[in-house]
Amino acid sequence: MFTGLGHKIRSGYEKLSFLSRLARQSHHAKALPALSSQIMEQDRDRLGSAYTNSVRCFALFGAGVSGLLGCATIAYSDEAEHGLAVPNYPWPHEGILSSYDHASIRRGHQVYQQVCASCHSMSLISFRDLVGVAYTEEETKAMAAEIEVVDGPNDEGEMFTRPGKLSDRFPQPYENEQAARFANGGAYPPDLSLITKARHNGQNYVFGLLTGYRDPPAGVSIREGLHYNPYFPGGAIAMPKMLNDGAVEYEDGTPATEAQMGKDVVTFLAWAAEPEMEERKLMGFKWIFVLSLALLQAGYYRRLKWSIFKSRKLVLDVVN
């Protein structure tokens, strides 16, 4: 009896095991499409992310190339506008408390008179501006008397000529702009009163321009009547090279080399553009000194008034 019962239990257990395996297979068969679709979605996302990263890398590369080309274009346009970049020279009057080299101003005025004044005007400078800066009053009066100035009208209503005075401006080389252009092949020589302020990099540019004449490099052709100078915008300038060794003879015996004359005339032009620089620096130093004393006095007064509050001792009587 017990044997038959065990056989029935064993066959029932085998049927349950078969049904369980069948259910698991059915579950796996149903989950397989979902799993496959999930794997495909992950692959699709992975491919999309790789594509996005590739596009982003190409975009960054393109932006970098565009930036480099933009910088190159800006540098080229800046060179075309301002010419070749000139070196920065250590001008002795550019320090905080530095003053002009007055001997150099006098030599620079001599270079201007003998070399530059035949074409370039300085309409904002009077002879009296030179008194006490480069010449004495007697020297300046004698210099001004050498020119003739058209003045008037007189009592008869007519214009007349007279010797120059200290209040007169430097003489003009041409009557008007048309005459200046006609005499210089169409080019108009600029006024030099503010030239170191009116040009990019001012003093360095003027010095580089005056001493920077070269033979044109291979492949560069210069039109007749022009001269090659890399520091001038475009490289072709109508003004020929004017500073040559020994072109002037300095009164103080300084050797008149090209560089020396360039340095002296640039110093003179820098003074002409900013004659009040020394007075401004001196006034600024005086104000800084006075304000420093006022600051020390204010600090001492503050410590004096607040010392009683900082050094006092407060005692709290919590009992009474």
Side-chain angles (χ1 to χ4, degrees):
M1 181 175 96
F2 289 102
T3 303
L5 181 61
H7 178 73
K8 290 180 180 180
I9 291 173
R10 188 167 48 253
S11 70
Y13 178 77
E14 290 178 357
K15 289 180 180 179
L16 288 175
S17 299
F18 174 76
L19 291 175
S20 177
R21 287 198 302 271
L22 185 61
R24 283 199 300 269
Q25 291 178 0
S26 176
H27 175 73
H28 288 310
K30 292 180 179 179
L32 185 60
L35 181 62
S36 301
S37 61
Q38 184 178 1
I39 294 174
M40 291 177 65
E41 289 292 337
Q42 293 178 355
D43 292 340
R44 189 180 300 110
D45 293 341
R46 193 178 295 109
L47 290 175
S49 177
Y51 176 75
T52 304
N53 292 334
S54 301
V55 172
R56 190 173 301 167
C57 291
F58 279 115
L60 292 175
F61 178 75
V65 172
S66 301
L68 292 176
L69 292 177
C71 292
T73 304
I74 292 174
Y76 180 79
S77 61
D78 183 74
E79 181 175 344
E81 180 181 359
H82 303 298
L84 185 67
V86 295
N88 291 320
Y89 299 99
W91 299 102
H93 52 267
E94 286 193 339
I96 299 178
L97 299 178
S98 301
S99 62
Y100 288 117
D101 183 355
H102 290 261
S104 182
I105 292 177
R106 179 167 181 146
R107 292 194 300 267
H109 176 255
Q110 185 178 349
V111 174
Y112 168 76
Q113 272 192 319
Q114 300 182 17
V115 179
C116 309
S118 59
C119 296
H120 295 274
S121 62
M122 296 191 72
S123 59
L124 301 181
I125 304 299
S126 302
F127 284 98
R128 62 187 173 190
D129 295 330
L130 298 173
V131 177
V133 176
Y135 300 94
T136 63
E137 184 175 352
E138 291 73 17
E139 289 175 328
T140 310
K141 285 183 177 179
M143 189 187 309
E146 295 177 357
I147 66 171
E148 290 187 351
V149 179
V150 178
D151 203 350
N154 55 15
D155 295 338
E156 300 176 356
E158 297 179 352
M159 305 298 291
F160 62 93
T161 59
R162 59 167 178 80
K165 300 183 298 184
L166 289 179
S167 59
D168 292 325
R169 301 290 178 90
F170 283 6
Q172 303 287 329
Y174 303 104
E175 292 291 335
N176 47 56
E177 181 179 347
Q178 288 73 20
R181 291 187 181 278
F182 178 78
N184 292 276
Y188 181 57
D191 187 275
L192 299 182
S193 302
L194 301 174
I195 194 66
T196 58
K197 296 293 185 181
R199 294 296 184 270
H200 178 72
N201 204 8
Q203 303 172 57
N204 295 318
Y205 167 77
V206 176
F207 182 83
L209 184 70
L210 292 175
T211 59
Y213 286 88
R214 304 285 188 273
D215 293 330
V220 176
S221 59
I222 302 298
R223 183 167 57 86
E224 185 179 358
L226 300 179
H227 308 273
Y228 178 73
N229 192 317
Y231 300 115
F232 187 76
I237 184 172
M239 181 179 70
K241 180 176 180 175
M242 301 301 298
L243 299 183
N244 298 288
D245 294 342
V248 299
E249 185 177 352
Y250 285 136
E251 299 172 351
D252 58 359
T254 302
T257 62
E258 178 185 358
Q260 182 66 49
M261 289 186 291
K263 181 255 184 185
D264 292 334
V265 74
V266 170
T267 302
F268 169 69
L269 295 176
W271 165 82
E274 198 175 10
E276 77 286 350
M277 185 199 72
E278 293 178 335
E279 183 179 356
R280 173 172 52 80
K281 287 183 177 180
L282 182 60
M283 184 61 65
F285 178 76
K286 290 180 180 179
W287 273 104
I288 291 174
F289 179 73
V290 172
L291 292 177
S292 300
L293 294 180
L295 180 62
L296 292 176
Q297 184 178 2
Y300 176 78
Y301 184 77
R302 177 186 175 278
R303 290 179 63 87
L304 178 65
K305 289 298 183 181
W306 282 86
S307 60
I308 57 176
F309 298 102
K310 290 186 175 182
S311 60
R312 67 182 178 177
K313 183 177 181 180
L314 300 178
V315 178
L316 300 178
D317 190 355
V318 296
V319 177
N320 298 325

